[in-house]
Amino acid sequence: MLTRRHALGAALAASSLAASSFVLAGAAHAQSWKSAYPELVLAVIPAENASGVTERYGPFVEYLSQTLGTKVTLRVANDYAAVIEGQRNGSIHIAGYGPASYARAIVTGVKVEPFVTTVNNDGTVGYYSVFYVRADSPYKTIDDLKGKNLGLVDPNSTSGNNVPRFALNKLKLNPETFFGRVTYTGSHENAVIALQQKTVDVAANWWNAENDSNLTRMASKGLAKQEDFRIIYKSDLIPNSPFAYLASLPPDLKAAITTAFMEAPTKAKAAFDKLSDGKDRGFQVVDAKYYEPVVELIKFIDQLRKQKS
């Protein structure tokens, strides 16, 4: 006779078997993407020299490798365009972009999805583009710089090119005719160095706060002194830079990557802090909609170039 106890035991056994099957299926699914992706490449844009980027990202990449259970390799790209093309051809799985370089990837048809951005120490999620001049220079406003030399960063840099050009356009100024020369320096560090060496008279750069900018990072490495420079222009708030992965990655891999990033500030605090010299609070989940205004900005810049060509 089948008693109630027998029935309960059978039900529990069936439940246990179903749970085990679910776990095994999940594990098998995870193993399937690990076999398909024995290595994941994380590429970052060159805000500073290559050795500085490697030192900054090394512990974080090691944490990602351990957490995801598959090798994560850091690639320091030569420029923004190299990151975009690497994701276009599928050789870069995860990329750290600037907002404009991400938008450029989207506008040119690269299939990527932003998944996190950083949160500043004060809780804000954004940064600024600034124009620096030397502290000992006579320049007080952008108008004072007519005929002088402008240092930009990279054609796909948000704070180092696109926002500055947008700001100058609002002032009805064409950089190529207003300034004596416009130079792309290649990185944010190089832009400051060019200004330091008087190769340019004004330089565009990124800035979060008085104690958190490319300049403060350079000062901490002995490459520049903050007091040697003044800000003569600061933009409106720009959405913080996104990390984006290939849209073609398996959903469970995308989820695992997002979780690893989101948990980094607590599970790998030292590695996370090294990314920003301890100036970031954490990561925040984002999606494509968050960056739609930047995509529209890039389209505007493209239209502006067409009108002037």
Side-chain angles (χ1 to χ4, degrees):
M1 175 194 263
L2 183 63
T3 65
R4 182 178 176 186
R5 186 166 58 182
H6 288 135
L8 180 60
L12 287 172
S15 174
S16 176
L17 180 61
S20 298
S21 299
F22 179 80
V23 170
L24 289 171
H29 202 49
Q31 287 303 318
S32 69
W33 71 251
K34 286 181 182 179
S35 61
Y37 297 91
E39 178 186 31
L40 294 170
V41 176
L42 166 63
V44 292
I45 54 177
E48 56 191 318
N49 63 64
S51 62
V53 175
T54 300
E55 182 182 350
R56 189 179 296 281
Y57 272 85
F60 184 69
V61 169
E62 185 178 340
Y63 155 75
L64 289 178
S65 296
Q66 293 172 351
T67 302
L68 295 172
T70 195
K71 182 182 179 183
V72 178
T73 300
L74 176 67
R75 182 182 300 175
V76 183
N78 290 329
D79 54 27
Y80 293 77
V83 177
I84 294 170
E85 293 311 309
Q87 289 218 285
R88 190 189 308 280
N89 64 35
S91 63
I92 294 172
H93 305 96
I94 310 165
Y97 280 106
S101 52
Y102 158 77
R104 173 62 60 200
I106 293 300
V107 167
T108 58
V110 183
K111 305 300 182 185
V112 294
E113 298 171 1
F115 62 97
V116 293
T117 189
T118 50
V119 179
N120 303 334
N121 234 340
D122 62 0
T124 58
V125 188
Y127 67 112
Y128 300 89
S129 172
V130 296
F131 279 137
Y132 283 120
V133 295
R134 289 174 58 95
D136 60 4
S137 74
Y139 314 121
K140 303 295 183 185
T141 68
I142 291 175
D143 285 337
D144 296 335
L145 289 155
K146 182 175 175 60
K148 304 303 178 181
N149 298 328
L150 169 65
L152 297 176
V153 174
D154 180 285
N156 287 311
S157 171
T158 310
S159 60
N161 181 62
N162 291 293
V163 170
R165 285 184 177 277
F166 181 67
L168 290 168
N169 181 71
K170 285 172 69 174
L171 294 172
K172 301 190 185 316
L173 299 177
N174 178 349
E176 276 69 28
T177 56
F178 179 77
F179 294 99
R181 185 176 74 248
V182 177
T183 302
Y184 283 114
T185 63
S187 75
H188 289 83
E189 276 192 358
N190 286 346
V192 172
I193 291 169
L195 182 58
Q196 191 176 53
Q197 297 177 345
K198 299 185 179 181
T199 305
V200 299
D201 302 292
V202 56
N205 234 267
W206 70 263
W207 186 94
N208 284 344
E210 288 293 342
N211 66 346
D212 184 16
S213 65
N214 176 57
L215 182 54
T216 61
R217 291 185 184 182
M218 291 180 70
S220 71
K221 294 186 287 186
L223 298 176
K225 293 180 181 178
Q226 278 186 265
E227 60 268 25
D228 287 347
F229 304 92
R230 283 186 290 110
I231 293 174
I232 62 166
Y233 167 82
K234 186 171 80 170
S235 73
D236 294 333
L237 192 69
I238 305 165
N240 269 352
S241 300
F243 284 89
Y245 40 47
L246 294 176
S248 59
L249 295 182
D252 53 341
L253 175 53
K254 291 179 184 177
I257 292 169
T258 302
T259 299
F261 271 75
M262 292 299 292
E263 293 179 347
T266 52
K267 288 192 172 180
K269 188 176 188 312
F272 172 77
D273 286 348
K274 198 168 184 65
L275 294 177
S276 67
D277 293 337
K279 303 299 183 184
D280 286 341
R281 180 184 293 184
F283 287 112
Q284 173 179 298
V285 173
V286 292
D287 58 17
K289 188 174 179 60
Y290 187 74
Y291 291 96
E292 283 179 358
V294 187
V295 172
E296 291 307 310
L297 168 64
I298 294 306
K299 290 178 179 177
F300 166 81
I301 293 291
D302 288 349
Q303 195 60 39
L304 203 62
R305 286 173 181 159
K306 287 178 183 177
Q307 290 172 1
K308 292 176 179 178
S309 61

